[in-house]
Amino acid sequence: MVSTSLAPFSIDHSRIRAEIQALQSQLVEWRRYLHQRPELGFQEHLTAEFVAHKLQAWGIKHQTGIAGTGVVAVIAGKQPGPVLAIRADMDALPIQEANPVPYRSLHEGRMHACGHDGHTTIALGTAYYLAHHPDCFSGTVKIIFQPAEEGPGGAKPMIEAEVLHHPEVDAIIGLHLWNNLPLGTVGIRDGALMAAVEVFDLVIQGRGGHGAMPHQTIDVIVIGAQVDFCFGAFDLGKGTAQLNV
């Protein structure tokens, strides 16, 4: 488990390459552009178009329309070596944004509330830097812009479309922004990290009775409240649970 109690510290910008630091203003601009145009799973047409436009302008070999809206870019270094994949998800969530910022979502009922606009931007910045500095790495970097991470499950159709082949991927990085870590910190671990989204049906069987003798009843409202407290995302209002009295 990665600790979230690290003390704040100053970032040593001298350890960041000047060419990467010079990208900062562009990265902010790209991320805010994407943040204003959130799209749900398998509907990331504007996002994919934005990504493909940048890759085309930088002369990076890429393929679009994978699993519907996925994009894959391939960047080769000057020397032969292994193939590293970098995966960034592009989709947003069905949430109305209420943040009072000038770059708030322009799409009603949709918001980049999970940071995928940041993931896409980081992948684009990485692609730009590597394409302009092929002598700084060996092997090949394959950057995978994946649709539909939030719920529909975009990874499986991308894998079925053989994005991990041609060339064969030796290792893959899946980055996720995490506000619980101080700015400038990278947390890593072997194996699974962070939560998975699972969907399940829950039926609570209750038993009615007299209000003066609650101990003879099974109150599904109380049980449902306890389940909601324990699981956090339990939604009685959208049909994810069935209460039988």
Side-chain angles (χ1 to χ4, degrees):
M1 187 177 207
V2 178
S3 172
T4 59
S5 60
L6 299 177
F9 63 97
S10 299
I11 301 174
D12 184 1
H13 289 279
S14 67
R15 300 181 61 186
I16 303 175
R17 299 183 183 186
E19 297 91 340
I20 295 177
Q21 289 194 55
L23 279 174
Q24 178 65 20
S25 61
Q26 282 288 291
L27 295 173
V28 171
E29 180 182 326
W30 299 342
R31 182 257 166 181
R32 291 184 175 182
Y33 177 89
L34 294 171
H35 188 85
Q36 286 185 294
R37 296 160 178 83
E39 300 169 290
L40 302 181
F42 296 122
Q43 301 174 25
E44 307 92 343
H45 301 288
L46 293 176
T47 305
E49 181 180 346
F50 179 82
V51 168
H53 176 76
K54 294 295 184 185
L55 298 174
Q56 180 70 30
W58 302 331
I60 297 176
K61 178 182 176 182
H62 65 282
Q63 183 179 355
T64 61
I66 304 174
T69 50
V71 181
V72 174
V74 178
I75 307 169
K78 287 293 186 181
Q79 302 297 325
V83 178
L84 173 68
I86 298 174
R87 172 266 196 182
D89 36 20
M90 302 186 295
D91 57 321
L93 287 163
I95 296 174
Q96 180 65 36
E97 180 165 18
N99 293 324
V101 293
Y103 53 88
R104 63 183 294 174
S105 172
L106 299 174
H107 294 173
E108 190 74 16
R110 284 167 285 174
M111 176 188 177
H112 270 300
C114 199
H116 296 185
D117 50 339
H119 301 169
T120 301
T121 298
I122 291 170
L124 279 175
T126 303
Y128 177 90
Y129 179 81
L130 294 178
H132 289 79
H133 299 84
D135 54 340
C136 77
F137 68 101
S138 300
T140 300
V141 176
K142 179 182 286 189
I143 302 184
I144 301 171
F145 297 89
Q146 178 201 308
E149 190 271 345
E150 297 287 357
K156 184 178 179 180
M158 290 286 280
I159 293 171
E160 291 173 345
E162 299 190 336
V163 296
L164 300 182
H165 305 287
H166 320 300
E168 197 82 14
V169 170
D170 296 297
I172 186 167
I173 295 174
L175 171 145
H176 202 295
L177 297 175
W178 197 2
N179 291 341
N180 287 341
L181 290 178
L183 180 66
T185 302
V186 177
I188 60 173
R189 62 161 291 172
D190 186 27
L193 177 64
M194 302 191 71
V197 177
E198 302 294 347
V199 178
F200 63 91
D201 293 321
L202 174 64
V203 177
I204 301 175
Q205 298 285 354
R207 185 174 66 222
H210 197 284
M213 293 173 284
H215 58 287
Q216 295 180 356
T217 71
I218 299 177
D219 191 336
V220 296
I221 301 301
V222 173
I223 297 171
Q226 290 298 315
V227 173
D228 187 26
F229 175 78
C230 293
F231 287 94
F234 192 70
D235 191 342
L236 299 180
K238 296 183 178 179
T240 56
Q242 177 183 341
L243 304 183
N244 294 336
V245 179

